[in-house]
């Protein structure tokens, strides 16, 4: 019984010991590129039952290790859509690095977002189920938000690593945009970083 209690205490402590071969060091910096995908359910009174829109795009990031386990990063993502909804995201995130093996890290992600949306059309509901779409007009919306998620990092060489992240973004806005669309979204990114 004593042995079980001892193992219950020792195993988590051993798992928390950093793996020095792949540990991030304070002052480390890296730049990276990503492919980004956001599968989303958008609710709008103009689409009966809502509409499913997928956004895909590219992104770039800069990472800086404040301490050995704590990393901050700035990201910029540019996305297009199958519903002509274009957008860009700027995020400031914090990561806490957990070494799993010599070449594998996992980390939680949390941060703040600034999002800019552009609709390539405006639709007017004339009543009686009649909708007119004006393809010559466009609408811009700006949202602030927060995100939370997790990521995994796999070291390919001394300087190059692959990273994959899944984040859930919650958008805040008081404009009419919030009444028409569900601004919360899932974001999936896969990319590579170069440490210098």
């Amino acid at each position: 019984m004593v042995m079980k209690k001892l193992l219950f205490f020792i195993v988590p402590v051993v798992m928390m010991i950093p793996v020095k071969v792949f540990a991030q060091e304070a002052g480390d910096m890296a730049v990276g590129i990503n492919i980004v995908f956001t599968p989303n359910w958008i609710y709008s009174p103009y689409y009966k039952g809502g509409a499913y829109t997928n956004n895909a795009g590219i992104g770039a990031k800069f990472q800086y290790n404040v301490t050995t386990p704590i990393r901050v990063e700035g990201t910029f993502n540019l996305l297009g859509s199958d519903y002509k909804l274009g957008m860009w995201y700027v995020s400031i995130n914090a990561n806490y690095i957990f070494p799993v093996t010599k070449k594998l890290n996992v980390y939680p992600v949390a941060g703040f977002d600034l999002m800019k949306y552009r609709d390539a059309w405006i639709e007017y509901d004339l009543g009686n189920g009649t909708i007119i779409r004006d393809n010559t007009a466009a609408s811009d919306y700006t949202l602030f938000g927060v995100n939370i998620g997790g990521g995994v990092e796999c070291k390919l060489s001394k300087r190059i690593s692959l990273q994959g992240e899944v984040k859930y973004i919650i958008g805040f806005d008081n404009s009419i945009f919030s009444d028409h669309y569900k601004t919360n979204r899932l974001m999936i990114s896969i990319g590579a970083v170069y440490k210098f």
Side-chain angles (χ1 to χ4, degrees):
M1 189 67 169
V2 174
M3 188 60 134
K4 276 188 178 181
K5 287 182 180 178
L6 191 58
L7 283 174
F8 184 77
F9 174 75
I10 291 175
V11 170
V13 171
V14 170
M15 290 177 70
M16 289 170 39
I17 296 172
V19 180
K20 289 304 285 182
V21 176
F22 188 43
Q24 306 287 327
E25 300 292 336
D28 283 355
M29 292 183 281
V31 293
I33 55 172
N34 300 311
I35 296 172
V36 185
F37 179 69
T38 61
N40 295 291
W41 179 263
I42 289 182
Y43 170 75
S44 169
Y46 307 126
Y47 301 108
K48 290 184 178 179
Y52 193 76
T53 177
N54 297 313
N55 304 96
I58 57 172
K61 66 170 64 176
F62 173 77
Q63 299 177 325
Y64 178 78
N65 276 75
V66 180
T67 66
T68 299
I70 298 173
R71 178 172 67 199
V72 293
E73 66 177 15
T75 65
F76 177 80
N77 296 306
L78 183 63
L79 297 100
S81 168
D82 51 2
Y83 273 87
K84 298 185 180 178
L85 183 71
M87 65 189 76
W88 54 257
Y89 284 78
V90 174
S91 298
I92 303 296
N93 300 316
N95 310 146
Y96 192 93
I97 311 299
F98 292 97
V100 177
T101 69
K102 293 179 181 179
K103 294 192 174 186
L104 186 69
N105 288 339
V106 295
Y107 54 92
V109 178
F112 299 96
D113 298 271
L114 173 65
M115 301 163 265
K116 182 79 168 184
Y117 292 76
R118 182 170 180 81
D119 253 335
W121 66 70
I122 294 177
E123 291 182 330
Y124 304 96
D125 189 350
L126 302 179
N128 300 327
T130 305
I131 297 172
I132 296 176
R133 177 181 290 178
D134 182 354
N135 290 318
T136 63
S139 302
D140 290 322
Y141 309 97
T142 302
L143 294 153
F144 291 96
V146 295
N147 71 71
I148 189 164
V152 62
E153 180 177 25
C154 180
K155 185 176 181 182
L156 298 180
S157 70
K158 183 179 179 181
R159 298 198 178 271
I160 299 172
S161 298
L162 294 179
Q163 290 181 349
E165 292 182 358
V166 177
K167 297 190 292 186
Y168 188 71
I169 300 169
I170 303 167
F172 300 103
D173 183 46
N174 294 323
S175 74
I176 195 168
F177 185 81
S178 292
D179 297 330
H180 288 185
Y181 296 94
K182 183 177 179 183
T183 57
N184 301 347
R185 58 186 54 235
L186 185 70
M187 180 177 282
I188 301 164
S189 64
I190 298 171
V193 295
Y194 177 81
K195 187 169 87 170
F196 56 91

